Amino acid sequence: MKYNDIGKRHIKWVFSTVLFIIGMSACNHNERYKETILKMTSRPVNLSKDKMELVYCNTKDSTTQSNMDETKEYLWGVYADSFVCSSCKLSELHYWNEFIYESKKMSDNVDFCFIFSPKKEDENTFMFTVRSLKFATSIYLDSSNSFHHNNPQIPNDQRFHTFLLNGDKKILLVGDPVKNEKINKLFQEIVADNKKQSLFKSQIP
C-alpha cells in the first residue's frame, strides 16, 4: 500500500496539532518540537513484531491476530519502554476498549498494537497483570528492546509514544486519542476523508 495523498495532507496536521496538544506554550520551545516531529516522520516505523512475544490476544487464533494489522490502512501504535511502570500502564488499558470498539465500528481498516518493554526484573509482574486483563486487542512483550533499537527517530519522551500509522507505517498523528479529544477528532477526519476518496474512486468509470 502506497503512502497516499490523504496521508501526505494529514501529515501536515502533525506539526500544528502536536505543538498545541503537547501543551507547550513557550514560543522558544516550538522549534524543538517541530524538529522532533520532523524526525519522527522522516522514516517508517519498524514494529519489529517478529522479535517480540505476543503475550495477549483477544482471539483464539493468535497468528491471525498478530498479522492482522499488516493488511490495515491505519494502525495505532502504543509503546511503553522500561522507564514506564508497565503494570500501571496495563491497568489503564481498559480506557482504550471503548475507543477501539468505536474505531473498528467506524472503519474495518483500523488496527492497534501495544508494545511493552518492561525492565527484566519487572517482567514476571508484567505477565501476571497481563493474565488478568480483559482487553480488546493484542499486546506484545519486547524483551530485547527491538522497537527502541529499530526506531531511533522516536524520542524517549513518553508523550511521543502513541501514534497513528498509515499502511506504509508512516506516522500521521502523534498523541493519545483516548486522553485528548482533538487527536480523536483528527483521527476521525482522516478516516472519513479516506472513505470519501475511496467512494469517489469507486464511482469512476
Side-chain angles (χ1 to χ4, degrees):
M1 185 180 300
K2 297 299 182 183
Y3 186 33
N4 56 36
D5 291 338
I6 285 179
K8 290 178 181 178
R9 183 166 72 253
H10 284 95
I11 203 76
K12 297 176 182 177
W13 292 3
V14 173
F15 303 107
S16 59
T17 302
V18 171
L19 293 180
F20 175 77
I21 288 170
I22 292 280
M24 297 299 175
S25 58
C27 294
N28 60 349
H29 288 164
N30 284 355
E31 284 303 315
R32 188 197 319 164
Y33 292 112
K34 185 181 292 186
E35 289 173 6
T36 299
I37 298 302
L38 277 170
K39 184 178 179 181
M40 290 182 70
T41 57
S42 65
R43 54 185 282 186
V45 172
N46 183 352
L47 294 175
S48 310
K49 291 191 305 176
D50 58 322
K51 297 179 174 61
M52 302 178 193
E53 180 184 357
L54 179 63
V55 294
Y56 185 89
C57 180
N58 70 329
T59 68
K60 293 182 179 179
D61 187 348
S62 61
T63 302
T64 300
Q65 177 68 21
S66 64
N67 292 328
M68 191 181 297
D69 59 76
E70 301 300 331
T71 67
K72 304 296 183 180
E73 293 183 19
Y74 302 107
L75 172 71
W76 277 105
V78 180
Y79 172 56
D81 60 23
S82 59
F83 294 102
V84 174
C85 170
S86 296
S87 297
C88 303
K89 187 78 171 179
L90 283 172
S91 68
E92 298 175 357
L93 291 187
H94 65 93
Y95 294 116
W96 277 83
N97 281 335
E98 182 178 357
F99 177 76
I100 291 171
Y101 172 77
E102 292 297 330
S103 297
K104 292 189 175 183
K105 188 168 68 171
M106 179 174 59
S107 171
D108 58 3
N109 272 314
V110 182
D111 216 331
F112 299 81
C113 183
F114 288 73
I115 299 171
F116 286 80
S117 296
K119 296 176 181 177
K120 291 293 183 183
E121 59 268 28
D122 294 335
E123 283 192 9
N124 288 337
T125 303
F126 170 81
M127 290 302 300
F128 178 82
T129 307
V130 165
R131 286 192 286 268
S132 66
L133 288 177
K134 291 183 179 179
F135 193 43
T137 192
S138 54
I139 298 173
Y140 290 85
L141 173 62
D142 182 13
S143 299
S144 60
N145 292 312
S146 298
F147 184 85
H148 173 73
H149 295 318
N150 291 329
N151 295 284
Q153 77 276 25
I154 297 179
N156 292 327
D157 192 328
Q158 287 293 318
R159 293 171 297 180
F160 297 94
H161 286 186
T162 301
F163 38 78
L164 176 68
L165 307 178
N166 71 353
D168 292 327
K169 300 299 182 288
K170 286 210 168 186
I171 292 176
L172 298 179
L173 282 177
V174 180
D176 189 333
V178 174
K179 295 180 179 178
N180 196 296
E181 185 59 32
K182 289 183 175 62
I183 286 289
N184 191 355
K185 184 177 180 180
L186 285 173
F187 165 60
Q188 292 178 33
E189 291 178 10
I190 289 173
V191 174
D193 276 3
N194 197 9
K195 282 185 176 180
K196 289 178 184 177
Q197 185 181 31
S198 297
L199 180 62
F200 175 76
K201 286 182 178 179
S202 69
Q203 294 174 344
I204 298 176

